[in-house]
Amino acid sequence: MANDREEYWQRVRERAAELGSDGCSGVPDFYLDCCLEHDIHYRTGYRLDGTRLTREDADTQLRQCIQARSTFGRLSPMAWWRWAGVRLFGQRAWPNWTAPTTPNPPQREAP
């Protein structure tokens, strides 16, 4: 199970590098993998497994990723702060994903 998780995050890092991700745009990279995954979502409109997602889904997944890694869990101030930031200021970075695009090849989502 740990290997599947590490493989997933390695795929996130590789795909984010392909897309030219900047990590946690303008703020410290305390939760870099979560930010890289979020960048993939914003730049493609898809999860790594090839399923489409909404901006709200992407932002919620960022918050949940940080919460899962924080010692504060669901109460993580960083998770809520980052979530609020992308909800308030991320609209311009989310392209209009109404036109069909080609997703990444389907891959397993994190366990």
Side-chain angles (χ1 to χ4, degrees):
M1 184 155 179
N3 282 343
D4 288 345
R5 236 186 158 84
E6 186 51 40
E7 286 175 20
Y8 172 79
W9 290 111
Q10 183 59 40
R11 287 194 315 272
V12 165
R13 291 179 211 111
E14 291 168 0
R15 182 65 176 135
E18 290 170 8
L19 294 170
S21 171
D22 62 355
C24 299
S25 307
V27 293
D29 290 339
F30 294 122
Y31 298 98
L32 179 60
D33 284 345
C34 299
C35 294
L36 294 175
E37 181 183 53
H38 189 251
D39 280 359
I40 292 167
H41 296 160
Y42 262 60
R43 291 175 189 215
T44 68
Y46 287 91
R47 292 184 173 92
L48 280 184
D49 68 2
T51 59
R52 189 176 291 283
L53 76 165
T54 65
R55 179 174 164 251
E56 182 178 1
D57 293 337
D59 295 344
T60 298
Q61 193 165 331
L62 171 66
R63 187 191 76 229
Q64 290 172 341
C65 181
I66 294 171
Q67 288 170 328
R69 292 167 179 238
S70 171
T71 56
F72 296 105
R74 293 184 58 171
L75 300 177
S76 168
M78 179 71 74
W80 287 103
W81 175 74
R82 293 272 174 98
W83 175 81
V86 293
R87 293 308 299 154
L88 291 171
F89 304 110
Q91 179 63 44
R92 289 182 22 187
W94 183 265
N96 181 357
W97 294 114
T98 57
T101 59
T102 304
N104 300 325
Q107 298 178 10
R108 292 189 322 246
E109 190 68 33

